[in-house]
Amino acid sequence: MGQEHFEEVEGLIAKIDSENPSTLDELEQFRLRYLGAKNLIKPLFAKMKDVATDQRKDFGLLLNQAKNQAEAKFSTLQKQLKKRQSSEGSDLDLTAPGFPMPLGSRHPVSVVMNQIIEIFRRIGFSVVENREIEDEWHNFTALNTPDDHPARDMTDTYYLKPDISRMLRSQTSTVQVHEMESKEPPIRIISPGRVYRNETISARAHAQFHQVEGLYVDKEVSFADMKQVIFYFARELYGESVKIRLRPSYFPFTEPSAEVDVYWGLNNDDDYRMTKGTGWLEIMGCGMVDPNVLSLCGIDPEEYSGFAFGMGIERQALRKYKINDIRMFFENDVRFLRQFTSAH
Ligand code: DAH
């Protein structure tokens, strides 16, 4: 007796199973149908009295199963649909392109340094670097700079305490010594790097700056070779029609020594100021490596000769970008640095 009631409940369970509300509105209908005050399960409890006594327990279990199933389905779907709605309802657009990553820019000193490196690379110079904390030998002695040379003075060079035989290098010429001591000619290198001098910091001078050093040592390297390499460099940097001149000068480690000037012109007041009224702009120092320096570094001056040159980078960058204060290079102010974003 009451078999049809069992079938009715089973039919209801199958129906609950097959329901698939896909919006919150449909889910509300589902709730009202199976869990609300007038739900479809409730009246079936009243049928209990029509079921044979020994089957009432099973009938009760079946009814509870229907109710539990409806509750479980409701709470799972409610969570899913609410989650979906909150992501749809927000402004989040998963297909929108991402925010651009802010890209830095190359420092103007690096831009010029790389340009110089590239020019010398094309004619077979390789790039080497070396230490910034030096000893007297590499910064002075092996470079033929005698004990009483003014560059050795405390007011020109930063010595490190407590052992003042160490110092911050005051020139990249130190790298020449390291190279000649450790390698056999032919040596053909350029060496960019930072140097330090005990200068009063102003718009035109700084206690730290960058240089590029060059060295070529081989059999029969001549002054004419040096001039041609420098001429090639000036043409690459300043253009085909550049004019250069070599002015006799003095450096302890080269003999003879020269300063290299490029012709800048005298077209306006700026040109007068920049070239001190001569029209010529000094760009580097150079010379034939002093035989004494070759010997001190373990190279036989009877067999080998060489030339060397050295130039400051900030000065070239100041000129290239028309910057009038060298301190800006070291302040790390992004408003200044950002202006070189398109430079390469
Ligand atoms: N070391 C020199 C300076 O700091 C620059 C220089 C001049 C380097 C002549 C050289 C050179 O190699 O031959 O002023």
Side-chain angles (χ1 to χ4, degrees):
M1 202 174 88
Q3 193 54 42
E4 71 279 17
H5 298 322
F6 273 90
E7 281 167 15
E8 209 177 332
V9 180
E10 272 158 4
L12 199 61
I13 288 175
K15 196 156 175 269
I16 293 170
D17 251 346
S18 68
E19 293 246 17
N20 201 10
S22 60
T23 63
L24 282 172
D25 278 348
E26 287 177 25
L27 185 66
E28 179 59 7
Q29 298 303 318
F30 176 90
R31 190 188 68 80
L32 291 172
R33 203 154 42 246
Y34 302 106
L35 303 165
K38 294 177 179 171
N39 69 59
L40 297 174
I41 307 172
K42 224 182 209 173
L44 294 174
F45 278 92
K47 309 262 166 95
M48 187 74 89
K49 61 180 186 325
D50 299 328
V51 174
T53 334
D54 60 346
Q55 287 181 11
R56 282 194 185 153
K57 191 179 167 208
D58 286 341
F59 189 69
L61 286 174
L62 199 62
L63 280 168
N64 276 334
Q65 189 193 328
K67 199 174 140 202
N68 291 340
Q69 216 152 307
E71 275 172 0
K73 189 157 193 168
F74 174 77
S75 76
T76 312
L77 285 172
Q78 191 183 43
K79 270 188 222 136
Q80 280 176 9
L81 292 172
K82 279 206 168 139
K83 202 163 152 196
R84 196 195 306 161
Q85 193 197 39
S86 71
S87 67
E88 276 169 5
S90 76
D91 290 336
L92 187 65
D93 177 359
L94 297 176
T95 64
F99 293 106
M101 295 280 279
L103 265 188
S105 56
R106 232 170 233 159
H107 194 283
V109 168
S110 302
V111 174
V112 175
M113 195 144 92
N114 289 343
Q115 211 178 352
I116 295 169
I117 289 171
E118 255 328 292
I119 293 172
F120 282 105
R121 265 219 175 114
R122 290 204 281 274
I123 52 170
F125 281 75
S126 48
V127 177
V128 296
E129 289 179 314
N130 217 294
R131 64 189 73 150
E132 291 180 14
I133 292 178
E134 270 300 355
D135 48 35
E136 278 181 296
W137 172 259
H138 290 91
N139 202 64
F140 294 126
T141 317
L143 288 165
N144 219 16
T145 307
D147 273 349
D148 57 357
H149 194 282
R152 289 207 178 211
D153 204 278
M154 291 278 187
T155 56
D156 280 314
T157 301
Y158 289 115
Y159 291 85
L160 301 184
K161 287 178 180 166
D163 169 15
I164 61 156
S165 65
R166 306 229 159 233
M167 63 206 68
L168 296 178
R169 68 177 177 190
S170 62
Q171 50 184 350
T172 44
S173 303
T174 53
V175 186
Q176 292 186 27
V177 181
H178 286 289
E179 282 299 294
M180 290 193 281
E181 279 177 336
S182 62
K183 293 193 187 121
E184 293 289 316
I187 295 170
R188 191 158 48 192
I189 55 129
I190 50 166
S191 185
R194 197 180 286 231
V195 300
Y196 304 86
R197 288 186 197 171
N198 195 353
E199 299 265 359
T200 305
I201 296 173
S202 71
R204 300 193 56 81
H206 209 289
Q208 55 172 338
F209 56 99
H210 296 77
Q211 292 186 327
V212 174
E213 186 78 15
L215 175 71
Y216 184 18
V217 180
D218 202 349
K219 290 184 173 147
E220 293 173 13
V221 174
S222 70
F223 195 92
D225 294 331
M226 177 180 82
K227 193 174 166 196
Q228 203 53 37
V229 165
I230 290 171
F231 185 42
Y232 154 79
F233 168 72
R235 268 207 327 237
E236 292 294 304
L237 198 65
Y238 292 96
E240 282 292 307
S241 56
V242 75
K243 273 194 281 187
I244 66 165
R245 74 176 182 191
L246 298 185
R247 215 163 12 91
S249 185
Y250 169 77
F251 297 101
F253 36 86
T254 44
E255 180 61 36
S257 307
E259 302 274 359
V260 181
D261 298 338
V262 298
Y263 191 68
W264 184 258
L266 277 177
N267 299 317
N268 53 42
D269 287 353
D270 268 356
D271 293 349
Y272 269 89
R273 193 177 42 77
M274 226 159 51
T275 67
K276 298 185 186 121
T278 65
W280 292 90
L281 212 56
E282 183 191 311
I283 61 163
M284 64 167 94
C286 65
M288 300 305 291
V289 182
D290 193 305
N292 213 10
V293 172
L294 291 175
S295 312
L296 287 169
C297 298
I299 290 178
D300 182 359
E302 298 296 324
E303 198 179 349
Y304 294 103
S305 57
F307 65 77
F309 54 88
M311 68 188 108
I313 299 179
E314 276 77 2
R315 253 214 245 162
Q316 315 259 3
L318 289 173
R319 216 177 285 149
K320 180 174 168 116
Y321 297 114
K322 300 196 164 53
I323 297 164
N324 55 19
D325 191 330
I326 197 172
R327 289 170 292 197
M328 285 198 269
F329 286 138
F330 302 109
E331 281 168 358
N332 276 342
D333 185 336
V334 288
R335 289 168 305 176
F336 168 71
L337 296 172
R338 213 185 268 139
Q339 298 175 63
F340 307 96
T341 314
S342 58
H344 46 262

